[in-house]
């Protein structure tokens, strides 16, 4: 692995961006869990949870969008490797304070590189899908707090957010 003095693996010793060579890394089980939140007016949350939007089942469609996004991460994040995901689990939880929906995604794969970007991308696209489906009733929705909660596997081992 070629790195610059600052340890960033996506830059070579000349400081040029490059796709990391993972050919010598062992295949191991990788897991990443990410989450994010979309805040909204109370009436918007109620409409979503009751399934009364004109465009259909908001959370069902957001779930499918998240799964699709996780599988396409390498198409939109330039230096990500294409991965064969073995599992993508998307859950939504509603909150009354603040009025919001939390999206949590777990991605699993057996491979040579982690699945953090796939989980994070899936969360963001799920939240964007909720926004898109509900913008006609609430353009002030705010997507916040997207972060990695946990990663397991690989050379760096396990990590859990504080």
């Amino acid at each position: 692995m070629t790195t610059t003095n600052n340890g960033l693996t996506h830059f070579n010793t000349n400081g040029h961006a490059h796709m990391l060579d993972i050919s010598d890394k062992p295949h191991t089980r990788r897991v990443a869990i990410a989450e994010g939140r979309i805040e909204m007016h109370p009436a918007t949350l109620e409409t979503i949870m009751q399934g009364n939007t004109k465009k259909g089942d908001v959370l069902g469609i957001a779930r499918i969008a998240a799964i699709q996004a996780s599988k396409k991460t390498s198409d939109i994040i330039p230096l990500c490797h294409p991965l064969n995901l073995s599992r993508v689990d998307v859950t939504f939880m509603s909150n009354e304070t603040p009025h919001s929906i939390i999206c949590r995604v777990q991605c699993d794969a057996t491979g040579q590189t982690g699945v953090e970007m796939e989980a994070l991308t899936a969360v963001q696209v799920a939240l964007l899908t909720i926004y898109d489906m509900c913008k006609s009733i609430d353009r002030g929705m705010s997507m916040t707090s997207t972060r990695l909660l946990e990663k397991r596997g690989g050379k760096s081992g396990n990590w859990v957010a504080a």
Side-chain angles (χ1 to χ4, degrees):
M1 173 177 6
T2 305
T3 63
T4 61
N5 291 336
N6 61 13
L8 296 174
T9 58
H10 285 307
F11 295 94
N12 64 20
T13 54
N14 296 322
H16 300 131
H18 74 117
M19 190 171 186
L20 188 62
D21 181 0
I22 60 171
S23 58
D24 290 334
K25 292 175 78 176
H27 287 263
T28 60
R29 183 163 188 260
R30 316 292 185 122
V31 176
I33 302 169
E35 77 172 15
R37 167 190 315 267
I38 184 166
E39 297 178 7
M40 61 197 68
H41 292 301
T44 307
L45 179 60
E46 184 177 333
T47 299
I48 292 169
M49 299 314 294
Q50 291 178 354
N52 292 336
T53 66
K54 293 178 183 178
K55 292 186 177 181
D57 176 9
V58 172
L59 298 183
I61 293 168
R63 179 175 288 107
I64 297 300
I67 294 167
Q68 286 181 320
S70 68
K71 296 189 297 183
K72 294 290 192 177
T73 299
S74 66
D75 290 343
I76 56 176
I77 307 293
L79 302 177
C80 282
H81 292 85
L83 300 179
N84 288 320
L85 295 170
S86 54
R87 176 178 181 228
V88 179
D89 183 51
V90 182
T91 58
F92 295 101
M93 298 157 277
S94 64
N95 256 346
E96 294 299 320
T97 309
H99 291 89
S100 60
I101 294 173
I102 297 170
C103 174
R104 184 169 291 168
V105 175
Q106 177 173 327
C107 291
D108 297 28
T110 299
Q112 296 169 289
T113 189
V115 292
E116 298 96 303
M117 294 307 299
E118 287 71 15
L120 288 162
T121 299
V123 166
Q124 281 299 124
V125 170
L127 299 177
L128 286 166
T129 300
I130 293 169
Y131 184 93
D132 181 51
M133 293 190 70
C134 298
K135 67 182 180 255
S136 65
I137 58 173
D138 187 356
R139 290 200 187 273
M141 290 177 283
S142 176
M143 293 161 271
T144 65
S145 307
T146 299
R147 66 189 186 124
L148 183 68
L149 295 177
E150 182 177 347
K151 69 81 69 199
R152 296 191 299 263
K155 181 179 175 183
S156 64
N158 300 343
W159 178 88
V160 177

